[in-house]
Every structure is written in C-alpha cells, then in structure tokens.
C-alpha cells in the first residue's frame, strides 16, 4: 500500500497537465470526427441524389417503352386476335348469368 | 519516479503541440496559401455544399401490385454560368457550352451577357447531365463556372401532367406547387432545404429537441397517388386517338373504382410536356376534369331512371306511350331521331336513349323529388384533391316550368364537371351510394410512417334494387345495341350508356351541328370493379357518341379485364366475335 501511494502521489501540476493533454486530444479527436461525419453526410446525400437521378432516368425509359407498347398496332404487326379464350372458373360473388 | 512521470507528461504535451502545429500549418496552406484555388474549385461546385440546392418530395404513381413509380421526382446535374469580368474569348466559350448543353441562350443574347462587365454571374445554360457538366468543368475555361443544380423532373413527361401539376415561382423566390397535386399537397412536398445536410453534432449542441422529435419529419413526405401508370398510358393513348381522329376541341376520360373512389386514371387531350413548359399556354395547365362544366346529354338518363325506380313512381315493367315529339311549356322536345316508339317499357328508354321517356319519368317523379335527387347528386363539389374544383350549374332546378326538369332528365340544361358526373354515375355501380373521388391515398412521411388519408365519406342516394334494375337496362345497351350487338362480351356483363348533347352557343341556345359526346360504362355490371367516363367536345363530321367513343370504351374495357385478370361473371369460354 505504501509503495502504491508513493508511486501515485497527487500533484496539482501533474493533474492539470494531464487534464489539459486529455482535453486537447479529445478536442482534436472531436473535430476530426465532426468533420469526417459532415463530409460523409454530404457525400452520402449527394450519392442519394445521384441515384435518384439514375432511377428517374430508368423510370423515363420505362414510361417511354410502355407508351411504345401501348401504341403498337398488333394486327398491323402481323398478330391475330385469339379465336377462343378459355377462362378458369372463379368463385364469384356476382349473379352469374 | 516522479521525475519519470513528469518527463512522460512532457513527452505527451510535446506530441500534442506538434500535432497542433502540423494542423495549424496545414490550415494555413489550405486557407491562406491555396485559398484562391479552393475558392475557384468550390465555384465549379464539384463538391457542392448542397444547402442551396432545390429540394422537394416526390409524387408516385402506383402499379397494380403496389410498386411506386415516380410521377414527379428530382434530377441532379449542372448549370453553366459566366463571369463576364474574367471571360476571355466569348465566342470560344459559347461554342464550348453549346457543344454540351441541350438548351442554352441564343448566341446574340450570350454575347450581350458577356459584354456586361459590371456583372460577375450570369446563368447561360441549365439541366446539363452529370457527364456533360463534368466534361465542361474539366476544361476549366476562364470565366465559365459549372455549378451543381437540381430541378423538378417528371419521368412520365406528359403522363397525367394535368393532374400531377406544376411548380413555379410564386410571389417570392421559392418554387412552390402551382397546379394539380403539386399545389394541393405543397405542404408535405416542400422542403426547408437542409434535411440531408444537417450536422449531427451541431444539432446535438444547439437543438436537442429537434434531433429527437422532428416536426418536419412528421409533416414532410412523399405523395402516393392511386393512378396506375399503365392504365393511365392506355387511357391517354386512346383519348388522344379520338381527339386527333375527330379533330375535337377537347377530350377526356376518367377510370375510377366505384367502391372506393380511387381514380385509377384520368386523361385530358390536348396535354403538354411537364418538363418543358416554355411554350405551353396557361389555359392548358389547369385540370378541365375538375374545372370545366358540360351538359353531358343522355348519360344522365340512367340517373333519372334510378331516381324514378327508387322513388317508386315507375318499375322496370312500367310502360309509357312514346309519340316522338311533345310540347311542354310552349317548347317542343323530341327523341333524337324524331320518331315515335308507341307503348314501350322503361328498359327501352335506356336502350334506345329516348328523350321523351326520360322526360316522362321526370314528370312522374315530380319537381320536388327530382330536385331532391339531383341536389343530392350534384349540389355539392366532390371534394376531390385537385385545385379550383368547379360546382355544377343547377339554376334550372330552382325554376318551376316543367320543361326545365324534362330536359334535365336527359342531360340538357344542367352542367356538371366530369368528376361530378362520374361520382354520380358511380352510385349506380356501388349499390346506390356515392363515394369521394380522390387521387392520393397516402403520404409517406420522412419519419417512415405512411399516413393514409380518410376518403371514406359516402352519400347514399338510391336503393340497391333501383340501382340493380338500372344496371340491367344499361347492360342491355352493350349486349343488344352497341355496335349492333357485336360489342357483347359473353364472359363479362358490361353496363354502358352513350350521350350526345348539342353544344351551347353564345346566344344561350344550342348549335344544331356541334355536339358534346359522352360515354359511361362499368363492369362487371353487378359487382363493378371499374367505372369509365369518356367525353369528346365538338368532334368534327360525326354526330353520335357511339361512333366516337364506343370502340374506345370497349378497348379500355378489354384492356382492364385482361390487365387486372377480372374473373368472368357469366359464361366461361367464348369465341371472340370477329
């Protein structure tokens, strides 16, 4: 015990120096974290927007393709209307006539 | 030991001081020595701060399986600005800009802008793609700045443009919704601008409350519409075909779920490119389906019939003597072909579209009852989530001359909006109850919660029996009359009615050779999934709605049956009529 107390005897100067050192390192560390976080946030949000733009372009292509399919005249393209349509009987709540 | 400890502390302090010195020196070089370079680099906006960029929530269509597809979103790219003070060779700069920009100012205007040496910033081109913007920025042409830009983008181009709406600068310098859903839902769509860029630690120290429970996150979100893009595309394509073929003044259509009021598609022709509105007339930007009133003609007859049946003044077996023309209050009214039918049952009023029959039902109903039904049906706006909805013109309801009621019975002398008309006719497809038509089902908040809107308000108008008997009569129109009976779908009961009304002239009368055509139908007739309302105004060289809109209605009906795999409600196998 004596030996331990002797080793870590309290000194105001050492305490203050240590505290200053810890605070200084913490401060620099905090700045680094905040700056990294801010950079990451900006880059992430920018990448989200860029992805959004890419998705919008894909959606434009989808709409354009859909419009083209809708406009297609299948008869003119050589396809024939099916001569018979067979439906799977489904339980219906309606009055069958 | 104490000396040893002290030396260690000194060592740590020395290390800290060294790091601090290195940082200070680094900051000195960044901010002081290379400050100008970084400023210029920032001007070119390869790493935009972002807070100044436009931001706004998206509007989504919904596919039949619930998948959202953007109707209105944001696109990011670059704009080009010049600094006339540092711009060296304006002609070379103009050539470089026009090589990559799809839209830029004309040459003369550019040269004039470049000559304004007192200014330091003039925007000359917008909406450059990422690739083109970067290519131009890499050239580092003195006096040209390539800046990050974000703008509203409509991937569907003209798809549902009238309903999705537009944004523009209002009285201030902020882009806000001006028409359509952009206007109605401007609150949830607008953004204060820094949602994605906020500094967590800054927020932690300055605004702990907002970090935990953000009022913005509970307000801002994305709008989920009920519009199905494939059905919308089909409807728009069909409506455009009708309008172009008959050179109509305007055509439109609505497809609605009569049980819920969800509008699946709504189209107007002429329409416009929502991404390029430079040459679009302001009159095109509204939504005629909610803003314009029309006299719809004979599609009003099923409503008159349902009212007569519901009030008990007629039954399906009731007959009347049709003489072709009658005079009421000194005015003569006739059937569309001026021919008499003799003694006919109620069903023929709908199947043969007899004006005198509808007038006869109105007379049997009496003015008070007629007024009561029609006020309930059209007396109030529908409350649809579109701006500037108009009310019906019901002045004739307050008059006492019977001629007014007789003509209203077949759709003349009463003007309503297409949205009001489909809501009223929707009662015939929903056991006699009117629902609230709407375009938006929910808002998906930034907090992740999807807040559904309450559109459950209903208005009972007719009894179920009256509606069923009316649907019987309307089904006979398709099975027996439309396209000479060839339109029948043997696996699906379809109820429909055509309407042809004369257009009004400036003198308060009617043109004898200009018409308003309308068509309504729903299916399966006795448990409808969809109700379709179509119209075309002032089609050329054609008189009857069955000619202009009959095949369009059938095309849409077949498409919807196939697309939604609606099970047949009568007969299970069929040979398609040729």
């Amino acid at each position: 015990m004596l030996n331990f107390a002797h080793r870590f005897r309290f000194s105001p100067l050492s305490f203050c120096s240590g505290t200053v050192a810890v605070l200084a390192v913490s401060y620099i560390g905090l700045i680094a974290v905040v700056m990294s976080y801010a950079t990451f946030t900006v880059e992430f949000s920018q990448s989200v927007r860029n992805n959004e733009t890419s998705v919008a372009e894909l959606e434009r292509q989808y709409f354009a393709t859909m419009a083209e399919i809708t406009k297609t005249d299948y008869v003119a393209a050589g396809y024939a209307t099916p001569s018979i349509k067979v439906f799977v009987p489904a339980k219906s709540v309606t009055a069958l006539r | 030991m104490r000396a040893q400890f002290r030396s260690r502390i000194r060592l740590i302090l020395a290390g800290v001081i060294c790091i601090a010195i290195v940082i200070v020196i680094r900051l000195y070089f960044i901010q002081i020595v290379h400050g100008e370079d970084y400023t210029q680099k920032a001007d070119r906006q390869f790493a935009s701060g972002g807070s100044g960029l436009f931001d706004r929530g998206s509007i989504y269509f919904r596919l039949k399986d619930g998948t959202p597809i953007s109707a209105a979103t944001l696109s990011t790219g670059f704009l080009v600005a010049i600094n006339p003070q540092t711009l060296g060779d304006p002609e070379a700069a103009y050539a470089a800009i026009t090589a990559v920009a799809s839209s830029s100012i004309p040459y003369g205007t550019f040269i004039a802008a470049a000559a304004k040496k007192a200014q330091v910033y003039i925007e000359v081109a917008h909406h450059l793609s990422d690739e083109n913007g970067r290519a131009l920025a890499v050239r580092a042409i003195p006096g040209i700045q390539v800046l990050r830009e974000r703008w509203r983008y409509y991937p569907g181009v003209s798809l549902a443009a009238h309903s999705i709406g537009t944004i523009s600068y209002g009285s201030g310098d902020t882009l806000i919704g001006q028409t359509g859903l952009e206007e109605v839902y401007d609150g949830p769509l607008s953004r204060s601008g820094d949602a994605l860029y906020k500094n967590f630690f800054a927020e932690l120290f300055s605004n702990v409350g907002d970090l935990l429970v953000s009022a913005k996150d509970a307000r801002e979100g994305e709008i989920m519409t009920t519009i199905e893009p494939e059905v919308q595309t089909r409807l728009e394509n069909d409506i455009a075909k009708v309008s172009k073929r008959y050179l109509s003044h305007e055509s439109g259509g609505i497809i609605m779920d009569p049980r819920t009021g969800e509008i699946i598609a709504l189209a107007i022709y002429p329409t416009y490119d929502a991404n390029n509105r430079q040459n679009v007339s302001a009159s095109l930007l509204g939504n005629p389906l909610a803003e314009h009133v029309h006299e719809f003609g004979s599609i009003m007859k099923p409503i008159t019939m349902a009212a007569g049946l519901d009030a008990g003044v007629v039954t399906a077996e009731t007959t009347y003597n049709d003489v072709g023309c009658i005079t009421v209050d000194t005015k003569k009214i006739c059937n569309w072909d001026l021919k008499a039918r003799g003694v006919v049952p109620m069903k023929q009023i709908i199947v043969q579209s007899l004006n005198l029959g509808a007038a006869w039902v109105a007379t049997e109903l009496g003015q008070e009852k007629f007024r009561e039904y029609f006020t309930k049906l059209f007396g109030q706006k529908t409350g649809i989530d579109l701006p500037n909805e108009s009310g019906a013109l019901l002045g004739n309801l307050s008059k006492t001359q019977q001629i007014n009621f007789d003509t209203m019975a077949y759709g003349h002398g009463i003007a309503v909006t297409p949205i009001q008309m489909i809501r009223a006719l929707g009662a015939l497809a929903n056991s006699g109850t009117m629902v609230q038509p709407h375009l938006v089902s929910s808002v998906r908040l930034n907090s992740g919660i999807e807040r559904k809107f309450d559109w459950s308000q209903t208005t009972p108008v007719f009894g179920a029996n009256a509606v069923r008997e009316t649907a019987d009569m309307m089904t006979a129109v398709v099975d027996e009359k439309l396209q000479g009976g060839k339109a029948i779908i043997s696996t699906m009961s379809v109820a429909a009615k055509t309407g042809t009304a004369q257009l009004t002239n400036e003198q308060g009368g009617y043109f004898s050779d200009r018409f308003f055509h309308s068509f309504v139908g729903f299916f399966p007739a006795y448990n409808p999934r969809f109700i379709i309302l179509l119209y075309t105004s002032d089609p050329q060289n054609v008189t009857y709605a069955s000619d202009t809109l009959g095949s369009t209605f059938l095309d849409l009906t077949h498409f919807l049956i196939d697309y939604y795999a609606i099970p047949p409600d009568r007969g299970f196998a069929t040979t398609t009529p040729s």
Side-chain angles (χ1 to χ4, degrees):
Chain A
M1 280 301 285
L2 270 175
N3 193 26
F4 183 79
H6 176 75
R7 271 168 176 261
F8 294 96
R9 201 162 8 161
F10 179 77
S11 155
L13 181 65
S14 303
F15 178 75
C16 290
S17 304
T19 305
V20 166
V22 168
L23 284 177
V25 171
S26 303
Y27 180 68
I28 291 166
L30 193 60
I31 288 172
V33 169
V34 167
M35 289 181 75
S36 304
Y37 181 80
T39 308
F40 174 75
T41 308
V42 170
E43 282 181 359
F44 176 71
S45 59
Q46 192 56 57
S47 73
V48 166
R49 293 307 189 188
N50 289 344
N51 289 344
E52 220 169 48
T53 304
S54 307
V55 171
E57 174 57 21
L58 289 173
E59 286 170 330
R60 187 197 63 74
Q61 289 174 20
Y62 165 72
F63 286 128
T65 307
M66 193 163 59
E68 199 179 318
I69 292 168
T70 303
K71 281 178 187 163
T72 303
D73 183 346
Y74 292 100
V75 177
Y79 293 94
T81 311
S83 59
I84 188 162
K85 287 180 183 175
V86 178
F87 296 91
V88 177
K91 193 178 178 183
S92 171
V93 294
T94 60
L96 297 178
R97 303 188 330 141
Chain B
M1 285 306 292
R2 192 174 176 180
Q4 194 180 6
F5 180 70
R6 200 174 290 162
S7 66
R8 283 178 186 170
I9 289 289
R10 281 178 187 150
L11 196 66
I12 291 168
L13 273 176
V16 169
I17 288 165
C18 282
I19 292 168
I21 288 169
V22 168
I23 290 173
V24 168
I25 291 170
R26 180 73 183 137
L27 285 173
Y28 173 80
F29 274 95
I30 288 174
Q31 295 194 337
I32 310 297
V33 178
H34 300 298
E36 190 66 23
D37 293 344
Y38 281 106
T39 304
Q40 283 183 10
K41 222 172 190 177
D43 280 347
R44 291 190 195 117
Q45 293 287 305
F46 265 103
S48 164
S51 59
L53 292 178
F54 172 65
D55 197 9
R56 191 171 174 84
S58 297
I59 301 174
Y60 290 98
F61 295 131
R62 265 205 162 145
L63 280 170
K64 63 177 178 179
D65 62 1
T67 308
I69 303 271
S70 300
T73 184
L74 294 174
S75 198
T76 309
F78 291 91
L79 68 83
V80 183
I82 57 168
N83 180 350
Q85 292 183 358
T86 55
L87 190 67
D89 182 353
E91 290 191 7
Y94 184 75
I97 293 167
T98 50
V100 293
S102 56
S103 65
S104 57
I105 60 174
Y107 177 75
T109 315
F110 181 87
I111 296 300
K116 292 176 182 172
K117 297 294 180 190
Q119 294 190 25
V120 293
Y121 181 86
I122 301 172
E123 291 177 4
V124 293
H126 287 271
H127 303 182
L128 267 69
S129 68
D130 238 32
E131 192 183 328
N132 288 337
R134 287 177 192 279
L136 184 62
V138 162
R139 295 177 65 178
I141 301 168
I144 290 184
Q145 296 175 331
V146 184
L147 311 170
R148 266 286 181 205
E149 183 185 32
R150 196 182 300 145
W151 62 92
R152 197 57 157 168
Y153 182 63
Y154 302 91
V157 187
S158 64
L159 198 67
H162 289 94
S163 306
I164 299 304
T166 56
I167 57 164
S168 62
Y169 291 101
S171 50
D173 58 354
T174 311
L175 282 166
I176 56 169
Q178 292 289 348
T179 63
L181 298 178
E182 293 272 29
E183 178 183 350
V184 174
Y185 293 98
D186 192 58
L189 289 170
S190 61
R191 299 286 184 268
S192 43
D194 58 355
L196 276 168
Y197 299 94
K198 66 186 173 190
N199 185 322
F200 175 82
F201 290 97
E203 290 279 317
L204 186 64
F205 292 123
S206 65
N207 199 358
V208 182
D210 237 23
L211 201 68
L212 297 176
V213 183
S214 170
K216 277 194 309 182
D217 286 348
R219 177 177 58 84
E220 296 175 354
E222 325 272 23
I223 297 299
M224 315 302 290
T225 72
T226 58
I227 297 172
E228 212 288 348
E230 299 215 13
V231 181
Q232 178 72 27
T233 304
R234 186 76 172 208
L235 179 64
E236 285 193 6
N237 186 53
D238 283 3
I239 289 294
K241 270 189 202 167
V242 169
S243 234
K244 287 174 186 168
R245 180 172 176 189
Y246 296 104
L247 304 172
S248 304
H249 169 66
E250 176 192 300
S251 302
I254 307 171
I255 300 174
M256 186 178 86
D257 182 339
R259 301 164 302 182
T260 61
E262 285 186 357
I263 290 177
I264 313 299
L266 70 173
I268 294 291
Y269 189 88
T271 185
Y272 59 88
D273 178 349
N275 293 318
N276 183 12
R277 304 194 309 273
Q278 278 181 335
N279 300 315
V280 176
S281 158
S283 63
L284 266 185
L285 297 178
N287 195 319
L289 297 170
E291 295 171 22
H292 295 179
V293 294
H294 308 282
E295 293 187 19
F296 276 85
S298 295
I299 63 171
M300 197 66 86
K301 284 173 187 161
I303 289 174
T304 304
M305 181 60 70
L309 291 165
D310 186 61
V313 297
V314 296
T315 67
E317 290 74 37
T318 304
T319 58
Y320 81 104
N321 185 22
D322 190 305
V323 294
C325 287
I326 56 170
T327 302
V328 183
D329 297 334
T330 72
K331 292 195 176 163
K332 192 176 177 183
I333 55 174
C334 295
N335 284 330
W336 57 275
D337 55 0
L338 312 176
K339 289 179 183 169
R341 263 59 174 194
V343 177
V344 289
M346 292 296 101
K347 178 180 163 185
Q348 292 307 314
I349 296 173
I350 302 298
V351 173
Q352 296 189 47
S353 198
L354 302 175
N355 292 345
L356 293 196
W360 184 82
V361 173
T363 307
E364 292 297 302
L365 195 58
Q367 293 187 5
E368 196 178 324
K369 279 277 180 193
F370 190 99
R371 191 177 293 121
E372 193 180 305
Y373 277 110
F374 275 64
T375 302
K376 198 182 266 188
L377 288 159
F378 302 111
Q380 290 188 326
K381 294 178 183 177
T382 66
I384 190 172
D385 42 355
L386 284 172
N388 310 317
E389 185 187 5
S390 298
L393 301 181
L394 302 174
N396 284 339
L397 273 183
S398 54
K399 294 178 180 170
T400 53
Q401 292 95 336
Q402 184 57 32
I403 182 70
N404 296 308
F405 293 85
D406 284 2
T407 54
M408 278 191 284
Y410 56 84
H412 275 77
I414 177 170
V416 303
T417 64
I419 290 291
Q420 280 186 308
M421 197 67 204
I422 198 168
R423 181 178 70 147
L425 289 161
L428 303 178
N430 187 40
S431 307
T433 300
M434 284 199 303
V435 292
Q436 228 182 330
H438 59 273
L439 286 165
V440 171
S441 58
S442 61
V443 55
R444 198 168 60 191
L445 298 170
N446 287 348
S447 58
I449 296 167
E450 186 157 341
R451 186 158 58 85
K452 292 194 181 301
F453 292 110
D454 180 18
W455 298 104
S456 61
Q457 191 186 340
T458 56
T459 311
V461 185
F462 306 120
N465 282 341
V467 162
R468 187 182 170 80
E469 285 171 345
T470 309
D472 268 338
M473 298 174 192
M474 293 173 74
T475 305
V477 172
V478 178
D479 290 351
E480 300 167 17
K481 199 77 178 171
L482 196 61
Q483 296 185 349
K486 284 185 177 176
I488 186 172
I489 304 175
S490 52
T491 51
M492 181 68 66
S493 59
V494 179
K497 182 72 191 82
T498 60
T500 303
Q502 290 167 294
L503 285 169
T504 52
N505 59 30
E506 288 84 6
Q507 289 76 43
Y510 290 93
F511 290 107
S512 60
D513 57 349
R514 294 176 66 186
F515 302 96
F516 181 89
H517 290 180
S518 56
F519 201 113
V520 69
F522 50 85
F523 59 91
Y526 303 100
N527 185 26
R529 286 278 307 275
F530 299 105
I531 179 168
I532 302 172
L533 175 72
L534 308 171
Y535 73 84
T536 185
S537 179
D538 203 12
Q540 306 297 302
N541 306 316
V542 62
T543 304
Y544 298 114
S546 53
D547 296 326
T548 50
L549 299 170
S551 55
T552 302
F553 172 77
L554 289 170
D555 176 70
L556 289 167
T557 301
H558 283 282
F559 170 75
L560 289 168
I561 290 170
D562 288 343
Y563 186 60
Y564 284 94
I566 301 173
D569 72 339
R570 60 180 189 188
F572 293 125
T574 182
T575 301
T576 307
S578 56

